[in-house]
Amino acid sequence: MDNDKQIAYLAGDLSAPIDPAERSELDAVRAVLNDPAVWVEPHPDLQERIVGAIAAAGNAQRVQPSNDLARTATPVDTAGVTHRRSRLIRFTILGVAAAVVLAVGLAIGLNDNGSRSVEYAASPSSYPTLTVTRQRANGDQSSSGQVALLGTTHRVN
C-alpha cells in the first residue's frame, strides 16, 4: 500500500482497501497515536532545571586553589583545558538530552494505563449481595427501592 493510503487510514478514512495484515499494524499505530499520554508535554522549565542541576553538580566538584598555591602553580596547558572544556560541553549536552528523554519516557509511562483493565477487590463477608440504588439528593439515606446495580460478592483469599 502506498503512503497516501496509509496516512488516510491513520487519519480516519477507513474506506481504503487495506491488506488485513497491514490493517492490524496500522490499527496498532492508530491506538498508540490515540493515546493521550503520547502527546503529554514535559514541564516547560524542565530543561532549565536539568541544566541548573548539572551546573550545580559541576560547581560543587570544583576546588578553588588558594592564593599560595596559585602563585607556585605551573603554567596551564591551554590546549588540554580547551579539549577538556569541549568534552565537558559534549557530555553536558548528552546528559541533558538523556535527562529529557528520561523525563518524557517517565511522563508517558506514568500516564499510560495501557490496555490493563481496572479491577477492584474487597471481601465483605458479612454482605454477600451489594445493591446500588438511585437516591434523591435530599439527605434521606433510606433506600428508594429503585435498583440501579445488583451483584453478589465472591470470597477472594
Side-chain angles (χ1 to χ4, degrees), residues 41-57 95-96 99-100 103-104:
E41 291 288 329
H43 198 274
D45 70 338
L46 178 63
Q47 183 176 355
E48 285 92 22
R49 290 188 300 172
I50 292 170
V51 171
I54 292 171
V96 168
V100 168
V104 169

Side-chain angles (χ1 to χ4, degrees), residues 114-125:
S115 61
R116 293 172 276 161
S117 63
V118 179
E119 295 182 20
Y120 299 99
S123 299
S125 58

Side-chain angles (χ1 to χ4, degrees), residues 95-117:
V96 168
V100 168
V101 168
L102 177 65
V104 169
L106 283 174
I108 291 171
L110 293 175
N111 289 327
D112 181 24
N113 289 336
S115 61
R116 293 172 276 161
S117 63

Side-chain angles (χ1 to χ4, degrees), residues 119-128 130 152-157:
E119 295 182 20
Y120 299 99
S123 299
S125 58
S126 58
Y127 300 100
L130 294 178
T152 58
T153 61
H154 304 282
R155 184 162 190 79
V156 178
N157 291 332

Side-chain angles (χ1 to χ4, degrees), residues 37-127:
V38 171
W39 306 107
V40 171
E41 291 288 329
H43 198 274
D45 70 338
L46 178 63
Q47 183 176 355
E48 285 92 22
R49 290 188 300 172
I50 292 170
V51 171
I54 292 171
N59 288 337
Q61 292 177 357
R62 286 196 192 125
V63 176
Q64 297 297 329
S66 68
N67 286 339
D68 295 335
L69 182 61
R71 281 189 223 126
T72 61
T74 58
V76 175
D77 177 19
T78 57
V81 170
T82 303
H83 179 68
R84 282 191 300 271
R85 182 172 291 147
S86 67
R87 276 186 33 203
L88 177 65
I89 291 171
R90 275 187 295 196
F91 289 139
T92 301
I93 290 171
L94 286 174
V96 168
V100 168
V101 168
L102 177 65
V104 169
L106 283 174
I108 291 171
L110 293 175
N111 289 327
D112 181 24
N113 289 336
S115 61
R116 293 172 276 161
S117 63
V118 179
E119 295 182 20
Y120 299 99
S123 299
S125 58
S126 58
Y127 300 100

